[in-house]
Amino acid sequence: MAEATAAPPASSENAIPAWFDGSEHTHRVAAAIAQYGPIARTTLAQMLQLSQGALSRITSDLIYAGVIEELPGEAAGHRGPLPEGFVPRESSDRRGRPQTALALRANARTFVGVKAHGHSAVAAAVNAHGEVVSGRHEAVFTDRSPASVAATIATLAADCSADVVAAGLPSPTAIGVAVGGHVRDDAVVTFAPFLHWDHDVDLGAMVHAATGLPCGVFNDIDSLLVDACWFGPGVGKEMFAVVTVGVGVGYSLAVRGRPVSCPDKSYGLAGHILVDPEGPRCSAGHIGCAQCLTDDSIAEQYSRILGRPASFGDFEADVRAGVAQANQLLNRTCFRLGTLVATVANLAMPGMVMIAGESAWLAKVGIDSIRDGIVRYRHNQAAPVPFVVADHDWQLWAKAAASRVIVKHIG
Ligand SMILES: [Zn+2]
């Protein structure tokens, strides 16, 4: 029985097509090769707990379908990441044919990824392995109406398509769009504060109509998370978290490469967590919550320190110029960010935390203060929290949107 309030499902003709037909095992094998390849068959069989015979039948099908390829022996010695806790056994059969390695045929497919901001969008094309294979394309929205945003995205998609075709690669299979906010059914934007959208917009269907390409629409932070778990530092992590800093503070958690879903998560739930009992007061009245890590709060704190108005850009310039007050605030901010990372590590227990976002440069400059902040809130016998800082580039967010459609395409 349908609920009276249930929203209509997104159009199914806009579904991302599957690269190949096959059993659940076939999809698992392709996904593992995408994440861990080039990888030896024996290692792959152990990792997926499949017999050599079963694996061989599946990989033959995938080779025939043009999804994967076999690389010569030396690639099998590649030691990339493996799943946490998995230790491959040495193969007892060393008499047979030399080991070959299986890899995704990365250039057999291309995809377009777009990151939509409040006023503009950045786009890039990637191959099936999530590697950027086009130039960087940016465009400003004429206005924030859904029609105008979809039209701009279509122009960017055409620019990306022209690049990949000129490079001799296949034209894009699908397009992924990342937005800050809530997205339902990987298509319908229900809330996008930066675009000032507060009603349902089937952006997936609109972009599909404007480009002719199947289109998936996703939350931007979850896209970064999935991209990292498939093609970046999160590969093999049982749990992986991302914390973003910039205009706001973002957080998301993936378990085995899938974002933990919660209907409220895109409301910025980590934005008001306590990070410093002596920190500044936020607009909601909290003292020392994570809002003190945002650009606006940092500008305000810096203005107070200097006794005159200063912007976040002024703060960044002063940090780069080695101004003492700016560096003190930078270190304090990074200590607080370390506290937030420790909170995430203590409660969610991810194998790694990635710090990203437009102000992630802070974390690179103040990395020692981040470590101090983490250590301050960890048990002294607890292992250090592994964390990485992503170099910020909006193109990475565009690529991440494309990674979401790759994941759906591989299934
Ligand atoms: Zn607050």
Side-chain angles (χ1 to χ4, degrees):
M1 192 176 71
E3 287 176 53
T5 54
S11 148
S12 59
E13 69 186 43
N14 186 26
I16 307 299
W19 194 342
F20 51 88
D21 290 325
S23 69
E24 190 197 324
H25 286 308
T26 311
H27 288 279
R28 276 177 66 218
V29 168
I33 293 170
Q35 291 170 294
Y36 301 103
I39 183 166
R41 287 169 187 280
T42 45
T43 313
L44 191 61
Q46 289 170 27
M47 188 196 287
L48 300 175
Q49 297 179 315
L50 291 170
S51 71
Q52 289 287 345
L55 181 74
S56 282
R57 282 191 294 279
I58 290 171
T59 55
S60 300
D61 288 348
L62 287 170
I63 290 169
Y64 181 75
V67 178
I68 62 168
E69 62 191 339
E70 205 150 9
L71 299 179
E74 56 265 30
H78 156 88
R79 284 277 175 274
L82 288 170
E84 264 177 320
F86 169 72
V87 182
R89 293 184 308 275
E90 274 303 309
S91 167
S92 55
D93 182 15
R94 290 237 161 257
R95 297 154 299 166
R97 55 182 176 167
Q99 274 279 21
T100 57
L102 299 166
L104 198 67
R105 284 190 57 222
N107 286 337
R109 290 283 188 279
T110 66
F111 305 85
V112 174
V114 180
K115 160 67 180 149
H117 304 289
H119 298 282
S120 62
V122 178
V126 303
N127 64 16
H129 206 254
E131 294 151 348
V132 174
V133 291
S134 73
R136 176 202 184 89
H137 298 283
E138 290 190 65
V140 174
F141 302 137
T142 34
D143 58 68
R144 286 176 172 144
S145 67
S148 163
V149 169
T152 304
I153 290 172
T155 308
L156 290 168
D159 293 342
C160 291
S161 295
D163 283 3
V164 297
V165 170
L169 294 166
S171 40
T173 297
I175 176 167
V177 178
V179 297
H182 265 309
V183 183
R184 181 164 47 80
D185 302 330
D186 295 342
V188 181
V189 179
T190 58
F191 169 69
F194 298 109
L195 288 165
H196 298 184
W197 295 355
D198 54 5
H199 57 282
D200 287 10
V201 174
D202 192 345
L203 186 61
M206 294 176 78
V207 172
H208 173 54
T211 60
L213 292 172
C215 174
V217 183
F218 311 95
N219 171 267
D220 54 358
I221 298 174
D222 279 355
S223 299
L224 269 193
L225 192 69
V226 171
D227 178 62
C229 290
W230 275 67
F231 305 117
V235 171
K237 302 293 177 207
E238 184 70 14
M239 297 178 78
F240 182 84
V242 62
V243 171
T244 63
V245 284
V247 172
V249 173
Y251 166 68
S252 195
L253 179 72
V255 177
R256 291 180 200 149
R258 286 172 185 271
V260 171
S261 74
C262 159
D264 293 332
K265 63 190 274 187
S266 23
Y267 291 125
L269 301 180
H272 292 273
I273 287 174
L274 178 67
V275 294
D276 181 354
E278 291 169 13
R281 188 183 289 268
C282 82
S283 56
H286 312 128
I287 292 178
C289 77
Q291 286 300 300
C292 68
L293 304 171
T294 61
D295 296 356
D296 279 353
S297 173
I298 291 171
E300 220 177 282
Q301 294 171 64
Y302 195 49
S303 301
R304 207 166 301 140
I305 290 168
L306 295 181
R308 59 178 166 80
S311 67
F312 183 76
D314 297 334
F315 166 71
E316 178 170 2
D318 286 358
V319 167
R320 307 264 186 216
V323 174
Q325 291 121 313
N327 276 304
Q328 281 164 11
L329 179 57
L330 173 104
N331 289 332
R332 199 177 308 147
T333 301
C334 286
F335 187 91
R336 290 165 172 164
L337 179 55
T339 304
L340 182 60
V341 170
T343 303
V344 166
N346 290 335
L347 293 176
M349 299 176 235
M352 184 179 277
V353 180
M354 179 168 81
I355 298 169
E358 62 268 39
S359 304
W361 62 268
L362 284 165
K364 289 230 149 155
V365 182
I367 201 145
D368 291 334
S369 299
I370 292 190
R371 287 205 184 93
D372 292 346
I374 295 176
V375 167
R376 180 73 181 81
Y377 290 95
R378 288 283 279 179
H379 189 279
N380 60 13
Q381 285 175 315
V385 178
F387 68 95
V388 285
V389 183
D391 279 319
H392 177 66
D393 181 346
W394 288 121
Q395 190 175 278
L396 170 68
W397 295 63
K399 158 188 152 44
S403 294
R404 299 295 301 271
V405 290
I406 296 174
V407 170
K408 290 175 83 93
H409 189 53
I410 293 175

